[in-house]
Amino acid sequence: MKVLKKFFTGVFYLALAAKAFAFNIGIAPTGFYTSLDKNETHEIMVTNNTMKPMRVEVGIEADTGWEKYDMGHLMKIYPKNITLKPNGSRSVRFAVKGTKDLPEGEYKTKLVFRELPGKPVDKTEKVVGETGQEVAVDFELLTEIHVAAYGLKGQRKIGAQLVSSEIKRDDKGNRKLVANFNLSGNSGLAVIGDIEYLDANKKRLSKEEVKLGITTREAKTKIESGLPAIPKNSKYMRVQFKDKSGLKLGSRELPL
């Protein structure tokens, strides 16, 4: 039987807002916040977590929902391609150019760290192709990490109203908090929730502060957040939504 060889590359996508030490690449810090009123340079350390040499390509892309407020055109990367020794590290610099041409407000772009393929020899499996012939498939598992960079021109102004919120369940029964907002400011919201868990008689079982997520700058925007461990016997959840600045956005009591 004739054996056909084909090579495939599997790419893992990671959207990270906290410490990123995942798969083959380590990133620290995971993004940055910069001024767009002056020139600034930021560095990110890239680490090879494998025992093999690695090549990494660094790029910039507009993030979904922030296309109108992308700041990628104000940034330059040095270098755009790096070679890392096994367990080695190297810094990448991001030079941000201050400008007078942007309206005041918050901007964002996505930093992409993409491991480049080498020899696809990590894993070989034999599968049966459409013709019935065996196909030897060599997989090389690569890492691609996306992190956020934010910029601020002038002053951050927050204007927002909570429109609705609900608890949704996925196919596995996991619960997720979804909240919709109308924005009238010039920035996204960094939404925090003061959450109270209540029993069937509305008696408080526990209380905690949770970082729920960051919205876009779109006029109608939302956050979706997985919920931490919910106390036993909880029947309701009372949430006071607020921005990281402390501005109260509204509250809701939701059945669990």
Side-chain angles (χ1 to χ4, degrees):
M1 180 181 293
K2 185 178 180 181
V3 176
L4 303 178
K5 277 206 169 186
K6 296 184 179 180
F7 301 102
F8 295 89
T9 298
V11 177
F12 289 92
Y13 170 83
L14 304 176
L16 305 179
K19 182 179 179 182
F21 235 89
F23 296 105
N24 299 342
I25 303 174
I27 300 293
T30 55
F32 53 83
Y33 208 105
T34 190
S35 170
L36 298 179
D37 293 312
K38 59 183 179 180
N39 296 341
E40 290 191 355
T41 299
H42 299 265
E43 290 191 0
I44 289 181
M45 188 68 67
V46 184
T47 300
N48 178 359
N49 292 329
T50 76
M51 298 302 294
K52 298 179 182 180
M54 176 190 296
R55 294 182 302 136
V56 177
E57 177 184 73
V58 186
I60 299 171
E61 298 177 5
D63 200 16
T64 303
W66 286 83
E67 291 87 354
K68 293 189 296 185
Y69 308 103
D70 180 61
M71 66 178 192
H73 63 288
L74 299 175
M75 299 176 65
K76 291 188 179 297
I77 307 170
Y78 305 96
K80 292 183 178 181
N81 291 275
I82 58 176
T83 299
L84 298 170
K85 296 179 180 180
N87 292 319
S89 299
R90 185 172 177 182
S91 65
V92 177
R93 288 177 294 163
F94 297 84
V96 184
K97 183 180 179 181
T99 177
K100 297 180 181 180
D101 298 332
L102 286 179
E104 281 197 348
E106 192 172 45
Y107 295 81
K108 182 184 181 183
T109 200
K110 183 166 61 180
L111 312 179
V112 181
F113 298 82
R114 182 178 292 114
E115 181 185 358
L116 297 177
K119 294 181 180 180
V121 295
D122 285 354
K123 184 177 180 182
T124 300
E125 294 182 0
K126 288 186 177 181
V127 299
V128 177
E130 293 180 0
T131 63
Q133 295 176 315
E134 283 189 344
V135 179
V137 182
D138 287 3
F139 290 93
E140 183 179 22
L141 302 181
L142 304 177
T143 301
E144 181 170 319
I145 295 180
H146 296 187
V147 297
Y150 289 88
L152 181 62
K153 174 67 178 175
Q155 298 294 317
R156 181 173 184 257
K157 298 175 183 177
I158 311 163
Q161 179 182 6
L162 176 66
V163 177
S164 64
S165 61
E166 62 179 323
I167 303 293
K168 289 187 175 181
R169 291 178 181 262
D170 61 20
D171 295 337
K172 297 181 180 180
N174 297 317
R175 282 170 281 203
K176 177 173 61 176
L177 174 62
V178 180
N180 296 281
F181 302 89
N182 286 342
L183 298 187
S184 56
N186 65 6
S187 73
L189 300 172
V191 184
I192 297 171
D194 287 329
I195 298 179
E196 294 180 273
Y197 293 102
L198 312 174
D199 65 13
N201 296 316
K202 304 292 181 74
K203 181 180 178 180
R204 188 169 77 186
L205 299 173
S206 67
K207 182 178 180 180
E208 60 183 328
E209 182 180 270
V210 179
K211 293 181 179 179
L212 297 176
I214 301 175
T215 73
T216 68
R217 276 188 62 179
E218 296 297 322
K220 296 183 181 299
T221 189
K222 68 179 179 179
I223 56 101
E224 297 187 17
S225 176
L227 294 173
I230 298 174
K232 185 179 179 180
N233 298 323
S234 297
K235 299 298 182 182
Y236 301 93
M237 185 174 73
R238 185 180 295 140
V239 187
Q240 172 68 61
F241 296 93
K242 61 185 180 182
D243 178 72
K244 67 178 181 180
S245 65
L247 177 69
K248 293 183 178 180
L249 304 170
S251 63
R252 291 289 190 278
E253 185 174 285
L254 305 169
L256 292 169

